[in-house]
């Protein structure tokens, strides 16, 4: 069951052309390269970003070593051309001198669809409560599949 759509933001360094934008329309990403090292081909994550890039005309660059979050943030902070996507609710810490910028992306807002999977024969009493929790509307959260306002790949709705 699709339970939560997490909006994505563009993360840039201070010299990037979108650093001071605050918000950009998806169409402005066309032709740009977004650096996402560590994406493994054949995974749901890779399929999501392949469909995302194809839908809006940008390139996902997966080359380069994946040494974790800190080296990624350091590289983005010092680059005028590299940017990456991060979840709006992903908490990241970086040194103040890195001056990284989170830029909201809209028209539509790209969302990463999170799902809850369970076995039907699981008798755990908390499972029904967990499903009910995720099924109830929560203030400040986008409803899964908010029509026209958000983007997720077609396969996420199945």
């Amino acid at each position: 069951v699709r339970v939560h759509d997490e909006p994505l933001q563009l993360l840039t360094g201070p010299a990037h052309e979108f650093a001071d934008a605050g918000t950009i329309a998806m169409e402005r990403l066309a032709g740009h390269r977004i650096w996402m090292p560590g994406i493994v081909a054949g995974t749901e994550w890779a399929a999501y970003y392949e469909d995302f890039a194809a839908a809006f005309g940008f390139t996902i660059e997966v080359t380069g070593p994946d040494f974790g979050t800190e080296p990624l943030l350091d590289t983005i902070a010092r680059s005028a051309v590299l940017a990456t996507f991060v979840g709006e609710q992903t908490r990241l810490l970086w040194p103040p001198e890195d001056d990284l910028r989170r830029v909201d992306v809209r028209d539509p807002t790209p969302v990463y669809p999170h799902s809850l999977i369970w076995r039907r024969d699981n008798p755990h009493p908390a499972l029904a409560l967990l499903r009910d929790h995720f099924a109830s509307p929560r203030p400040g959260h986008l409803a899964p599949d908010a029509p026209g306002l958000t983007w997720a790949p077609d396969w996420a709705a199945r």
Side-chain angles (χ1 to χ4, degrees):
V1 173
R2 187 165 163 186
V3 295
H4 177 63
D5 284 352
E6 182 177 11
L8 296 182
Q9 295 176 318
L10 191 68
L11 185 69
T12 75
H16 193 278
E17 70 178 283
F18 297 137
D20 295 323
T23 300
I24 60 168
M26 274 303 311
E27 65 188 23
R28 292 197 55 206
L29 292 179
H32 285 269
R33 181 174 60 129
I34 309 298
W35 192 43
M36 303 288 297
I39 292 180
V40 177
T43 63
E44 179 181 310
W45 196 38
Y48 174 87
Y49 282 105
E50 286 169 13
D51 289 354
F52 186 22
F56 294 100
F58 57 85
T59 302
I60 295 291
E61 177 64 50
V62 300
T63 60
D66 179 17
F67 294 127
T69 303
E70 289 180 21
L72 172 72
L73 297 178
D74 287 345
T75 303
I76 295 294
R78 287 160 185 68
S79 175
V81 296
L82 292 177
T84 195
F85 286 113
V86 295
E88 180 182 80
Q89 296 153 349
T90 301
R91 300 295 164 234
L92 298 169
L93 296 174
W94 55 78
E97 62 270 14
D98 282 359
D99 197 20
L100 290 168
R101 316 290 175 83
R102 285 178 176 261
V103 179
D104 289 330
V105 186
R106 299 284 186 262
D107 303 322
T109 298
V111 294
Y112 193 89
H114 293 276
S115 298
L116 179 64
I117 300 172
W118 67 94
R119 291 176 43 141
R120 291 190 190 279
D121 64 349
N122 184 342
H124 197 284
L127 184 56
L129 293 172
L130 182 63
R131 288 194 317 255
D132 289 346
H133 169 75
F134 281 120
S136 64
R138 292 183 309 281
H141 290 260
L142 291 170
D145 248 351
L149 302 175
T150 63
W151 178 90
D154 292 337
W155 50 262
R158 290 185 228 140

